[in-house]
Amino acid sequence: MAKKSKIRTPIVCVMGHVDHGKTSLLDKIRGSSVVSTEAGAITQHIGATLVPLDAITRMSGALSKVSVNVPGLLFIDTPGHHAFTTLRARGGALADMAIVVVDINEGFRPQTIEALQILRNYKTPFVIAANKIDRIHGWRVQKDQPFNKTFAQQNERVQGILETKVYELVGKLSDLGFNSERFDRVTDFARNICIVPTSALTGEGIPDILMVLVGLAQRYMTESLKVSADGPGAGTVLEVKEERGLGMTLDLILYDGTLAVGDEIVVAGNEEIIETKVRSLLKPRPMKEILIEERFERVRSVTAAAGIKVAAPKLDGVIAGSPLRVVRGPNRDEVVEQVRHEVQDIQVTLSDLGIIIRADTIGALEALSKELEGHQIQVMRAAVGPVTRHDVIEAGTIKDPLYSAILAFNTPVLPDAIDTLADASMSHVSIFEGGVIYQLIDDYVEWRDAKKQELERQRFEKLIMPAKIRILPNCVFRQSNPAVVGVRVLGGKLQSDVDLLLLPGGRKVGHLKQIQDKNETVHEVDAGREVAISIEGPTVGRQIDVGDDLYVDIPERHVKVIEREMLDLLNPSMREILEEFTSLKRREDPFWGK
């Protein structure tokens, strides 16, 4: 590391279910540093909030006794996993740590579980905020107090309810493969996930969350948080948006080095790599100055970690989640290659056969593909951006109909793609759209399973099934051309348009053309029924006679399919006849149909 290396602020992301209090938790953390004129005031960054260490120390008190070299915490404001999955840094996740917010009264919801799986995939440390403790019946609010102080003020019944709810979370986390415990009982932070009971509304437990995060960063991340203070800047684009008077701008989280006005930067666009120069860097004005006409103040340069707005020419088409790199000296080509590499090296395992996936950002694409991998669903093509006509055509040519599907996560389907779908030749292609990964996968799996059953049924219908019949006495209606006789189906399923063999030798005697049941033509009948059939070929009294038992002649390749893939679907009567028929054939050739 260069001599100038220093510890940067860890970047924290807040995740969890929609109504469990993510936003209120962030608001509480932001608002808890009462007056912005005090030392250690919380500062607003673009897309992030910086809570300096002395503000955290002042709130929790406990840290003042320990020497801490982490300068504070930078919270990413973008809601939910969107932030987490979109934002990558050097192929990993941009966030160093996360808070997963759970309503203590409702427990884990599918979205929360999805967040936990994403964190596990990226190996990101996290704490659980067991939120809304103030909703426990009979809770006495102790505004902004650390958990232990407020817990001590509660009566025994309320303490008991809280304990039970915490242990329900511990149990659920254990089912998901995580060891966890209430934070004040954790001794080994590397092995156990901390559960911090909080209320975003009253501020109770908030000091503890901040303290646990600082402790985690201090203990396990000091090495990875070292940055070169004067090295070239590296960051991740949060959002691309147009600002009045500035044109297109990037909201950027800078996680390494320095970025200054006039720096040459490289970012990834939809079509190509974009090289441009920083025209201005903007940060939000402090709250008390918001009345001034301009919402942003201009700065000359910024050092990691920070959230900053970048104005520069040629920013149209930059993709959210793109890496941004500063070019210093002669390394331009190297930097361009790095960015191209990072965008193209999407961590997605592709196979020759699979579905097509689309997502709005690189990180989201990775998260979706990781989950699909977990479900053993293969991906043939993965790309950022809306679903195009080309995607539909490609999905239409996939050999296996179970993969003729496109999953679109948080991204639209273009009109020409919808028009192409309407084409009769594309009617077998399905597009699934949505903003929640697990829902998208569930929808696809449901469609795939239904399609699988349909295909099995069609295949089943084309196969000749085992059956055995007996010619009944007094039921010869015509002797030949074709012979028409009454039969009983002794076992299996009798179909029309099949060849018949005579027992005991298994000699072919003719072709069953039609089946009549109560004067109606039918295509198949089950065991136990008595019907009239017409047989082309034989004459009754010569090749066949009353009382004869006949088998349906099943072609050898059909027997192979039935025995390998369909045995479970056959009823006992069909199985029995199949065994009789195959043993008859295998007397002459032991490997027949195998």
Side-chain angles (χ1 to χ4, degrees), residues 14-147:
V14 182
M15 304 171 81
H17 186 72
V18 187
D19 326 318
H20 287 191
K22 284 188 308 214
T23 319
S24 352
L25 189 77
L26 262 171
D27 288 347
K28 192 70 196 172
I29 290 170
R30 278 196 210 110
S32 42
S33 159
V34 211
V35 215
S36 58
T37 48
E38 286 179 32
I42 289 175
T43 53
Q44 204 44 47
H45 285 227
I46 300 283
T49 303
L50 180 67
V51 183
L53 187 67
D54 43 2
I56 297 172
T57 311
R58 209 175 51 244
M59 284 162 68
S60 61
L63 286 171
S64 43
K65 309 176 189 64
V66 201
S67 87
V68 175
N69 57 7
V70 178
L73 299 169
L74 186 72
F75 287 90
I76 299 180
D77 295 356
T78 316
H81 350 312
H82 188 63
F84 194 84
T85 50
T86 308
L87 307 175
R88 311 152 73 221
R90 309 188 190 89
L94 171 66
D96 301 298
M97 301 189 283
I99 300 176
V100 177
V101 183
V102 183
D103 182 335
I104 194 166
N105 305 293
E106 279 193 25
F108 290 110
R109 300 293 293 276
Q111 226 170 340
T112 328
I113 293 169
E114 182 163 298
L116 293 172
Q117 283 162 341
I118 291 168
L119 291 169
R120 174 190 280 135
N121 287 341
Y122 280 108
K123 300 188 172 53
T124 304
F126 63 93
V127 297
I128 301 270
N131 197 27
K132 303 194 181 181
I133 54 175
D134 57 291
R135 295 265 182 91
I136 293 175
H137 190 64
W139 186 268
R140 299 177 192 144
V141 172
Q142 315 289 317
K143 219 168 160 25
D144 297 331
Q145 287 300 311
F147 171 73

Side-chain angles (χ1 to χ4, degrees), residues 190-300:
R191 305 270 303 276
N192 283 301
I193 304 294
C194 292
I195 299 175
V196 185
T198 57
S199 163
L201 201 67
T202 66
E204 292 167 283
I206 301 286
D208 306 290
I209 281 248
L210 298 173
M211 195 181 71
V212 169
L213 288 170
V214 168
L216 276 177
Q218 174 72 15
R219 187 134 179 218
Y220 301 106
M221 296 184 178
T222 312
E223 212 32 60
S224 59
L225 292 173
K226 283 186 175 161
V227 293
S228 53
D230 50 2
T236 299
V237 176
L238 267 184
E239 255 187 283
V240 183
K241 52 187 180 201
E242 198 156 348
E243 292 283 354
R244 203 175 68 228
L246 292 168
M248 275 311 214
T249 65
L250 306 179
D251 290 358
L252 178 82
I253 298 285
L254 186 73
Y255 59 79
D256 199 353
T258 304
L259 176 65
V261 173
D263 272 349
E264 284 188 52
I265 54 169
V266 177
V267 280
N270 271 324
E271 304 303 326
E272 77 257 297
I273 301 298
I274 297 168
E275 299 176 50
T276 181
K277 256 194 172 147
V278 177
R279 199 186 295 143
S280 46
L281 295 173
L282 306 135
K283 54 184 236 195
R285 291 185 172 277
M287 287 306 284
K288 62 178 195 316
E289 295 174 24
I290 231 56
L291 301 171
I292 300 171
E293 192 47 41
E294 279 191 63
R295 288 172 37 226
F296 306 109
E297 72 184 283
R298 290 163 193 268
V299 290
R300 292 298 306 162

